[in-house]
Amino acid sequence: MARVIHVFRRPDRFVAGTVGEPGDRAFYLQAIESSRTISVLLEKQQVSVLAERITALLGEVSKRFGEDNLLGATVATGSSDSDPLAVPLEEEFRVGTMGLGWDADSSSIVVELLAVTDEEIDESVVLDDTEEGPDALRVFLSPTAAKAFAERAEKVVDAGRAPCPLCAEPLDPAGHVCVRLNGYHDRNPVAGTE
């Protein structure tokens, strides 16, 4: 079966979002253009890495082409997208490999998300239209939209469970075994007794 590549050249919206409670959240990326909506499932760490890499790529492109040429008009304060994911939320695929690039012709950041596959992925299928390979979602973002995506993605990742003040691992409402305390902790932190 031939691979399916969902291409969004001018998305109306490309955002990271979650479903579920902190500690048990599912992470999604969602692209919307006109009446088309594609949602893909991925790991929290993948969202974090993608936001970091987009920010780094924007910095590199800015150095090469100049800040004024890169962002053009700045994002207006308060115009960031904080709306929830569009529903119904139907997962197209789970993301395995991610690709990121700069398209000089359209002055766009290109994000490509490839479906998880049992086979080893040849790097040549990333950001390519070959017939063989895993299904993909390819999104072209203006530098301003890419910056807004990265900022929202970082907020989504940071909105999880609060970190332990000692070990920085996420605190679990049911209890937390802190490695800095060699596994000793109060089972009932409110009362301070076991």
Side-chain angles (χ1 to χ4, degrees):
M1 190 161 104
R3 76 191 289 215
V4 176
I5 302 174
H6 305 278
V7 179
F8 288 78
R9 293 212 174 264
R10 294 183 184 185
D12 300 321
R13 188 174 192 224
F14 181 61
V15 295
T18 62
V19 173
E21 295 297 317
D24 192 29
R25 298 185 297 168
F27 287 79
Y28 291 89
L29 296 184
Q30 191 173 71
I32 300 173
E33 186 175 69
S34 298
S35 61
R36 282 189 333 148
T37 301
I38 299 290
S39 302
V40 294
L41 181 68
L42 68 171
E43 298 295 325
K44 176 181 179 178
Q45 189 62 31
Q46 289 174 300
V47 175
S48 180
V49 168
L50 184 59
E52 289 171 14
R53 298 290 164 87
I54 285 175
T55 301
L57 182 57
L58 285 170
E60 183 61 33
V61 170
S62 177
K63 284 182 197 174
R64 290 187 184 190
F65 300 106
E67 186 72 33
D68 295 336
N69 294 335
L70 176 63
L71 290 176
T74 56
V75 179
T77 305
S79 67
S80 64
D81 184 345
S82 59
D83 293 337
L85 296 171
V87 291
L89 188 61
E90 297 176 6
E91 163 193 336
E92 189 70 25
F93 58 81
R94 178 178 282 276
V95 175
T97 303
M98 300 185 300
L100 192 60
W102 173 253
D103 181 39
D105 294 336
S106 64
S107 297
S108 301
I109 298 277
V110 183
V111 177
E112 183 156 292
L113 308 163
L114 302 172
V116 170
T117 180
D118 293 334
E119 302 168 11
E120 189 171 323
I121 295 181
D122 182 4
E123 289 181 15
S124 67
V125 303
V126 179
L127 299 173
D128 195 6
D129 293 332
T130 58
E131 291 284 326
E132 297 299 317
D135 289 351
L137 169 60
R138 185 177 303 150
V139 182
F140 290 75
L141 299 171
S142 69
T144 304
K147 182 178 180 188
F149 168 84
E151 289 171 355
R152 175 180 166 133
E154 288 171 359
K155 288 178 186 174
V156 166
V157 168
D158 292 342
R161 296 175 287 171
C164 171
L166 297 175
C167 69
E169 290 296 317
L171 290 171
D172 191 335
H176 170 68
V177 179
C178 181
V179 295
R180 299 274 313 267
L181 297 174
N182 290 332
Y184 293 99
H185 69 286
D186 291 334
R187 290 188 185 187
N188 187 351
V190 176
T193 60
E194 293 194 67

